[in-house]
Amino acid sequence: MTAFQRLRFGAAWGLCLAAALITSPDANAAPAAKPDDRALTIVARWELKNADPSVNGYAFTRMEVAETLVDADGNGTPKPGLAEGWEASADGLTWRFRLRTGVTFHDGTTMTADHVVTALNHARAKPGSLSKAPIQAITADKGAVVIRLAEPFSPLLSFLADSASQILAPASYDDKGNVTHVIGTGPYRVAEFKPPQHLVVTRHDSYWGGPASIAKATYLATHRSETRTVMVESGDAQIVFNLDPASVQRLSRNPKLSVQAVPIPRVISVKINAGHPLLSDLRARQALSLAIDRTGIAVGILRQPETAATQLFPPSLGAWHDSGLPPLTQNVERAKALLAEMGWKPGSNGVLEKDGKRLRLTLRTYPDRPELPPVATALADQWRAIGVDVSIAIGHFSDILSGHQDGSLELGLIARSLAVAPDPLGTLMQDFGPKGGDWGAMNWSNPALTEAIDRILRSQQAEESAAAKRAVGAILHQELPTIPVVWYTQTAAVSKTLKGFEIDPFERSYLLSRLRWVE
Amino acid sequence: MIRPILHRVAQALLVALMVGVLTFALMRSLPGDMAWRVAAGRYGYDITDAAVMEQVRQSLALDQPAALALLSWFGDLLRLDLGVSLISELPVVDEIAHQLGASVTLALTALLLSVLLGPPLGVLAGLRPGGGLDRALFALSITLRALPQFVIGLLLIYGLAIVFGLLPASGHGEAGHVVLPALTLAIGLAAVSCRVARDATVAVTTSGYYRFGETKGLRPLDNFLRHGLRNIAVPIVTYLGVQLVYLIEGVVVVETLFAWPGIGHALVHAILARDVPMIQGTALVMGLMFVLLNAGVDVMCGALDPRRRTS
Amino acid sequence: MIRLSRGQWAGVALLLLLALFALGVPQVVPGDPTRQSLSNALLPPGGPFLFGTDPFGRDMLLRLAAAVRLSLGIALLTTALAGVIGVALGVLAGACGGWVDRALCGVADTLLALPGLLLVLLLVAIAPGRFWPLYLGVSLVLWVEYFRMTRAAALRIAASPAVEASRLLGFGPFYRFRRHYWPELAPITLTVGAFGSATSVMSVAALGFVNVGVRPPTPELGQMMIELMPYYNEAPLILAQPILVVVLLVLALNLIAGGKTQ
């Protein structure tokens, strides 16, 4: 047989059942665990790579192994974490963080200001939010941590809440500053870390906030959503994240499970090369936006009608979402009229032409987020209806980034998190700055927008900041440097043997320590 | 005895050389900037941007000439050092041990299950060619081979894990987890190996020496055990030996479906992320395993069939 | 000459039927297999669309026909490519013997030792979204089988008195190939070819499963299965279609390969 034989094996029920008879004793062999030390299994799609906080930090904060100086509540507002409180100087350049006392790392060391300074300096040297903040120095001062800035920077607290800024014990780092073991302060400690799939944590009994209820939990990275769904249906897992749209409906009918959905600050949008001759005209971008049937995509593909984006910022980003903006809607006639106004005329196959050139573009996207390719196919189809011939190139997401750098990108369908750190400002600075951003505007900038972002950065007053935020939203809505398509919803199915489950909209934590088994 | 060993050693060296050069050349000819892919593989889409990519480029020394990089890989190889993964920054040896180990466990379990399922049925069918069992088995085998692997896997999960709740659907870490993915593979293997066994049985039982055994008055069972079994075993062992390698590398579909941390899955990711040391290391280890297994099959066939030793 | 058994005829008939379906449907039902209509998503078979629609509201009948065309096309091309290379080199190795044989066997052995999956993945990565790396990759893996089978037969034939006589009578190599080799090789080639085609159909579908290979929205059987998989509860009849087609396709090819040749 050939070397490819391995890819073609088959099965049927007769043999399955025969085999079941052979193998079933195996499954019954495990003795039933005592209710108290039942282990919890959480399944999501993100694979583990290594212990580096800038790479995989989110996995350790989500499993509550590591904590950050500043925490965030369900709205993304900063709240005390390992720091009990903080003060900023009048000029906004010096921040002083008072540390919580009686915090111990999992190796028994008591946390001191020096430890925190070391951890933050390591974090600053690696990619992540902190490396982008204008920090001059981080020092320890009488049990407090002092951060000196080169210029006022309001999202500092949010950047400190980024999982890449987690505080680890000195023993976590090797002599080159790389993290070899994650020794954190959270309610759970690492028991086993086996990339790419496994992270097992056990309860840290001397946690400063009091010990958690569940003794042991396993995180299992599972790429395919069908597999994840099956695991929660069969009882192999108690919590499963990132459900595919079709499964949400089926699982909600399962009496043993409850399904939760929470909007999260991530948005699927079309990144546009505004320097491209066909796209530099605002009318072209508006036409593309008007051609999109967002409700159709939200209902048909994501099966969540409320996710159709009416503007860039989802309602969950309270301070940024502006309900006063006219919603983005579909209007095919208006889209066609705009293109006609620009001189495009229908040619063969209904594709528009001008001066013998056809209106043809390429939309790049990537399969890492499984909903992107279907949304791309839907978009291409809807754009074809207004005479724009869009071909889809599904590749690696770095093709979009490198296409931005070398200018070859025309359109890119991306799923962008607006809040890597809880405050979207960091993302906005990166995406819509004066030079554009790899994940944001391309060959597009707007002085008014830059100025508004700057005002928010320096602002220490809520009203001033709120007005500037509305201005940012309005400009992005008007100019469409990226076209929002749908917002994201995080979905999870949870076994009813658990209580206290909640989804953190900022995906910072799985909130394990709030869970308990139903008696 | 020396010559075959030398032959295998030479083959192993050739494989190592080819794997090194070929994977290296292919990797270098892949489109796209390697630094982008490595940065993307390490940091994921929320963090990666041009600045991160530049940082990665600096740390990787990618501007080093290709020939030099290849030479240094061979140099490290002589010291039995496969290098460090570009993505996880962990030693390639450890990664392979973990992921290939998982694949080997899966493949061996599948092989064992398939040996229990396939060949016995095949031999029974072959003892009476054209009979009811033979025809039924032919139909079953040809249908099974036509079913894609992931369909079998899903049928098994749905049947055995969800409806009956007998086995864990997927995961890794406990003994029960290996059963369903191994069974998925085993069923496909058994569908073929039962045909191999059946054909071998027919060939043996119609042969002169077997007929002679009958004529000289051996009881059918004795005749089968003394003259049949060994001869039937040779093609089956050959077939299964070759399949083992294919199983190990080819289980990517099953690995993905059952969340099994195997080498197929690791290869797909390593290629996407342009993790050259990981790919070279994996290809090398798998190539050498192929050579070793072939040698093993030769030895086993020789033990089963003394005629082969002299030829 | 090749005489076909009943099982093989059944396989040929089934294959012809599938080909007729693939080529006939576009003639009878005009339309675009990639055209979406989100408001017509997942319609059951028998309504306005004979075979129903997928989650994007695309016509399953058209998609299936296009997917079968693609699968058959890939199978045909890879089998032809692998067959020509494999048979030619196999005869060369078997007939010439000596260092030619040793060199060719060395190449084949080394290629076998390389993980086939790696080869295909690397080639596909070189030109993502194109078809040729798929053809080439699958052919590269498949030809070794033709080579080994043909070589074994050619070794035997080359040693036969008939070939020796032809050679002494001064007949050229082409005559000898036609007269002595091909009649014996043809049935082997048919069997290996049918198996190879089945393998190629399955491999491409399996590659679709791990997001490698043909790109959407091009209808491809493996990818259709993956797209439809989440709807197994909601629209089992739609999901069953591509699975059934793959099963029939591979079954037909296996039947052709599996029966006895005389």
Side-chain angles (χ1 to χ4, degrees):
Chain A
M1 283 294 94
T2 67
F4 247 90
Q5 236 241 295
R6 60 199 190 263
L7 291 171
R8 36 176 292 221
F9 299 123
W13 284 104
L15 285 179
C16 304
L17 291 177
L21 295 176
I22 300 166
T23 52
S24 53
D26 209 325
N28 301 334
K34 276 180 283 169
D36 285 346
D37 23 281
R38 263 182 294 174
L40 171 72
T41 302
I42 298 179
V43 185
R45 58 168 308 193
W46 317 117
E47 292 202 339
L48 307 165
K49 293 188 192 100
N50 58 27
D52 187 342
S54 65
V55 174
N56 257 160
Y58 60 86
F60 295 98
T61 50
R62 283 178 188 172
M63 291 300 279
E64 300 193 311
V65 171
E67 295 176 298
T68 46
L69 209 50
V70 178
D71 201 353
D73 67 10
N75 300 315
T77 315
K79 68 171 190 184
L82 289 175
E84 212 169 40
W86 49 82
E87 292 87 33
S89 62
D91 58 3
L93 290 178
T94 309
W95 290 72
R96 190 181 172 84
F97 295 86
R98 281 171 282 118
L99 294 186
R100 205 174 281 282
T101 49
V103 176
T104 54
F105 288 109
H106 299 150
D107 62 358
T109 336
T110 304
M111 182 181 81
T112 66
D114 286 320
H115 297 154
V116 176
V117 170
T118 314
L120 290 179
N121 277 327
H122 281 310
R124 200 149 68 93
K126 295 256 185 184
S129 297
L130 273 194
S131 66
K132 299 189 177 78
I135 295 177
Q136 272 185 338
I138 304 176
T139 48
D141 176 41
K142 294 177 223 141
V145 172
V146 177
I147 300 183
R148 273 207 57 79
L149 299 176
E151 52 193 85
F153 192 73
S154 64
L156 177 70
L157 292 174
S158 161
F159 279 23
L160 287 170
D162 181 351
S163 63
S165 316
Q166 58 190 235
I167 309 300
L168 301 179
S172 303
Y173 304 90
D174 67 8
D175 46 3
K176 285 183 221 136
N178 292 321
V179 174
T180 51
H181 299 89
V182 178
I183 305 168
T185 55
Y188 288 94
R189 65 168 81 221
V190 177
E192 210 183 308
F193 178 53
K194 273 196 197 157
Q197 286 187 318
H198 265 78
L199 172 60
V200 183
V201 298
T202 51
R203 184 167 51 207
H204 173 43
D205 288 316
S206 47
Y207 179 56
W208 58 265
S213 164
I214 306 255
K216 186 179 176 192
T218 302
Y219 173 86
L220 185 67
T222 301
H223 188 66
R224 292 213 72 87
S225 65
E226 293 86 19
T227 309
R228 290 196 295 274
T229 317
V230 154
M231 289 184 77
V232 74
E233 280 179 305
S234 67
D236 294 325
Q238 285 74 39
I239 303 178
V240 168
F241 285 96
N242 319 96
L243 305 171
D244 61 86
S247 305
V248 168
Q249 296 185 334
R250 192 174 72 251
L251 294 180
S252 358
R253 288 195 296 267
N254 188 327
K256 289 189 225 155
L257 304 173
S258 69
V259 173
Q260 291 196 16
V262 164
I264 55 170
R266 185 182 285 276
V267 58
I268 295 186
S269 52
V270 181
K271 174 180 164 77
I272 297 183
N273 180 354
H276 190 277
L278 303 179
L279 297 165
S280 54
D281 192 322
L282 174 60
R283 286 174 298 181
R285 304 202 292 270
Q286 282 169 335
L288 288 183
S289 173
L290 285 167
I292 300 173
D293 178 9
R294 294 179 174 82
T295 315
I297 292 174
V299 173
I301 299 175
L302 304 180
R303 301 200 161 190
Q304 277 156 340
E306 68 282 5
T307 59
T310 56
Q311 56 181 287
L312 178 64
F313 300 113
S316 55
L317 281 178
W320 293 85
H321 179 84
D322 182 355
S323 49
L325 288 175
L328 298 167
T329 47
Q330 188 186 26
N331 187 339
V332 175
E333 289 318 308
R334 174 91 188 103
K336 283 183 177 164
L338 280 170
L339 292 174
E341 213 177 277
M342 289 170 63
W344 292 100
K345 295 196 173 51
S348 58
N349 299 335
V351 176
L352 295 174
E353 287 178 359
K354 184 161 77 175
D355 311 327
K357 275 183 73 180
R358 289 158 73 82
L359 187 39
R360 179 177 284 169
L361 294 162
T362 301
L363 174 69
R364 292 188 200 179
T365 191
Y366 47 94
D368 302 51
R369 288 261 171 187
E371 50 284 340
L372 289 179
V375 172
T377 34
L379 285 177
D381 199 69
Q382 289 161 11
W383 284 333
R384 193 160 54 172
I386 59 164
V388 183
D389 180 14
V390 174
S391 60
I392 301 168
I394 296 174
H396 193 262
F397 70 83
S398 70
D399 296 345
I400 290 180
L401 305 177
S402 58
H404 176 99
Q405 294 293 328
D406 64 25
S408 63
L409 182 79
E410 293 173 350
L411 299 168
L413 186 70
I414 59 177
R416 180 71 168 142
S417 168
L418 294 171
V420 176
D423 185 345
L425 192 59
T427 311
L428 292 176
M429 283 163 54
Q430 212 183 324
D431 289 359
F432 301 104
K435 288 185 208 139
D438 293 321
W439 284 110
M442 177 168 176
N443 297 315
W444 176 94
S445 66
N446 183 307
L449 182 81
T450 313
E451 189 270 330
I453 289 180
D454 209 47
R455 249 191 302 154
I456 307 172
L457 278 181
R458 292 168 182 282
S459 138
Q460 296 185 26
Q461 282 166 2
E463 297 111 73
E464 186 196 6
S465 166
K469 283 175 185 171
R470 276 198 302 280
V472 168
I475 295 169
L476 292 176
H477 198 68
Q478 193 61 45
E479 288 279 324
L480 293 171
T482 61
I483 302 177
V485 182
V486 279
W487 298 314
Y488 261 97
T489 299
Q490 173 63 289
T491 47
V494 190
S495 158
K496 289 196 175 148
T497 55
L498 280 172
K499 59 182 180 189
F501 177 77
E502 257 180 276
I503 299 177
D504 171 9
F506 289 87
E507 297 183 278
R508 292 168 43 76
S509 170
Y510 293 139
L511 306 174
L512 292 181
S513 52
R514 296 192 196 167
L515 291 172
R516 52 189 67 241
W517 295 107
V518 174
E519 295 304 313
Chain B
M1 213 47 211
I2 302 286
R3 255 185 82 96
I5 293 177
L6 276 181
H7 174 74
R8 290 295 176 192
V9 170
Q11 199 191 356
L13 287 177
L14 193 69
V15 164
L17 192 73
M18 282 281 283
V19 163
V21 175
L22 207 66
T23 49
F24 193 81
L26 280 171
M27 285 309 285
R28 290 274 163 162
S29 60
L30 292 183
D33 188 337
M34 226 180 102
W36 271 118
R37 290 302 184 93
V38 173
R42 255 190 224 176
Y43 296 104
Y45 43 75
D46 283 336
I47 310 289
T48 308
D49 60 15
V52 172
M53 184 273 284
E54 271 314 318
Q55 207 171 342
V56 168
R57 187 191 296 283
Q58 304 285 321
S59 73
L60 289 182
L62 286 176
D63 36 11
Q64 186 187 38
L68 202 65
L70 183 60
L71 272 181
S72 78
W73 184 75
F74 277 119
D76 289 344
L77 193 62
L78 287 179
R79 290 183 283 120
L80 297 178
D81 177 4
L82 290 178
V84 171
S85 158
L86 300 185
I87 302 305
S88 69
E89 300 179 271
L90 302 171
V92 169
V93 177
D94 296 352
E95 297 238 333
I96 292 180
H98 174 49
Q99 313 207 42
L100 193 61
S103 285
V104 170
T105 313
L106 181 58
L108 281 175
T109 316
L111 202 67
L112 192 71
L113 280 176
S114 85
V115 167
L116 291 176
L117 292 174
L121 284 174
V123 170
L124 279 180
L127 286 175
R128 212 169 280 168
L133 180 66
D134 189 24
R135 281 147 173 264
L137 211 59
F138 178 70
L140 185 65
S141 145
I142 209 161
T143 320
L144 285 179
R145 276 186 282 157
L147 271 175
Q149 227 169 23
F150 44 92
V151 176
I152 305 169
L154 281 170
L155 282 175
L156 286 177
I157 292 181
Y158 196 71
L160 298 183
I162 297 189
V163 177
F164 297 113
L166 289 174
L167 291 165
S170 53
H172 177 67
E174 283 162 43
H177 284 142
V178 76
V179 178
L180 276 188
L183 195 58
T184 307
L185 291 168
I187 285 170
L189 260 185
V192 184
S193 64
C194 82
R195 291 302 297 168
V196 174
R198 181 256 177 213
D199 290 346
T201 311
V202 172
V204 167
T205 50
T206 52
S207 69
Y209 60 84
Y210 199 80
R211 288 278 165 75
F212 179 70
E214 275 172 4
T215 332
K216 80 180 176 187
L218 279 179
R219 280 181 305 162
L221 186 66
D222 284 337
N223 192 23
F224 177 74
L225 291 179
R226 289 188 56 175
H227 298 297
L229 205 54
R230 280 188 169 212
N231 286 307
I232 295 170
V234 171
I236 300 178
V237 166
T238 314
Y239 171 77
L240 290 177
V242 175
Q243 287 304 309
L244 185 61
V245 175
Y246 300 150
L247 271 179
I248 292 167
E249 61 162 296
V251 293
V252 57
V253 166
V254 170
E255 284 163 8
T256 317
L257 192 61
F258 289 95
W260 190 263
I263 203 70
H265 183 70
L267 261 184
V268 173
H269 279 250
I271 291 177
L272 266 181
R274 306 287 189 262
D275 193 349
V276 182
M278 186 67 197
I279 292 169
Q280 282 179 316
T282 313
L284 180 74
V285 171
M286 282 166 62
L288 293 181
M289 255 167 65
F290 181 86
V291 175
L292 201 69
L293 257 159
N294 269 341
V297 168
D298 282 357
V299 169
M300 263 187 84
C301 287
L304 283 168
D305 184 356
R307 285 166 301 180
R308 296 165 74 101
R309 272 175 261 170
T310 48
S311 66
Chain C
M1 265 315 289
I2 304 174
R3 293 260 268 336
L4 298 182
S5 71
R6 265 191 312 178
Q8 284 177 306
W9 277 119
V12 171
L14 191 54
L15 197 65
L16 284 177
L17 218 62
L18 283 165
L20 188 72
F21 168 77
L23 298 172
V25 164
Q27 309 302 320
V28 184
V29 192
D32 181 350
T34 63
R35 181 102 227 161
Q36 302 185 353
S37 155
L38 289 175
S39 53
N40 280 334
L42 288 176
L43 293 180
F49 299 92
L50 191 58
F51 280 32
T53 57
D54 75 356
F56 299 96
R58 296 177 293 202
D59 188 346
M60 283 300 286
L61 179 65
L62 289 174
R63 286 184 74 72
L64 280 178
V68 173
R69 278 201 302 280
L70 180 77
S71 281
L72 280 179
I74 294 182
L76 209 67
L77 260 167
T78 50
T79 307
L81 192 59
V84 169
I85 302 175
V87 171
L89 293 181
V91 172
L92 197 67
C96 296
W99 67 267
V100 177
D101 187 29
R102 278 202 299 278
L104 285 172
C105 283
V107 172
D109 273 357
T110 321
L111 261 183
L112 268 184
L114 268 184
L117 177 74
L118 177 77
L119 216 58
V120 176
L121 286 176
L122 278 174
L123 280 169
V124 172
I126 285 179
R130 302 284 180 78
F131 287 118
W132 68 260
L134 270 185
Y135 297 141
L136 191 65
V138 176
S139 306
L140 263 179
V141 178
L142 287 179
W143 78 271
V144 179
E145 194 54 28
Y146 289 92
F147 171 78
R148 297 206 311 178
M149 300 287 278
T150 322
R151 175 181 165 269
L155 272 176
R156 192 164 34 77
I157 301 164
S160 72
V163 174
E164 185 68 12
S166 279
R167 206 167 55 82
L168 290 175
L169 284 172
F171 287 112
F174 290 103
Y175 173 82
R176 292 207 302 272
F177 177 75
R178 230 171 10 150
R179 180 73 182 77
H180 301 290
Y181 289 91
W182 184 242
E184 286 213 38
L185 293 179
I188 301 176
T189 315
L190 176 78
T191 309
V192 178
F195 267 130
S197 306
T199 305
S200 122
V201 168
M202 283 286 215
S203 314
V204 174
L207 286 172
F209 188 92
V210 283
N211 278 323
V212 179
V214 182
R215 280 178 173 172
T218 312
E220 193 275 321
L221 290 167
Q223 248 168 20
M224 286 170 76
M225 287 185 225
I226 292 315
E227 275 177 5
L228 295 169
M229 199 73 83
Y231 303 90
Y232 72 86
N233 212 34
E234 209 173 318
L237 288 180
I238 304 288
L239 169 63
Q241 292 175 27
I243 296 179
L244 194 68
V245 168
V246 169
V247 171
L248 288 179
L249 208 55
V250 177
L251 187 65
L253 290 164
N254 276 348
L255 277 173
I256 296 176
K260 281 257 180 295
T261 50
Q262 283 160 356

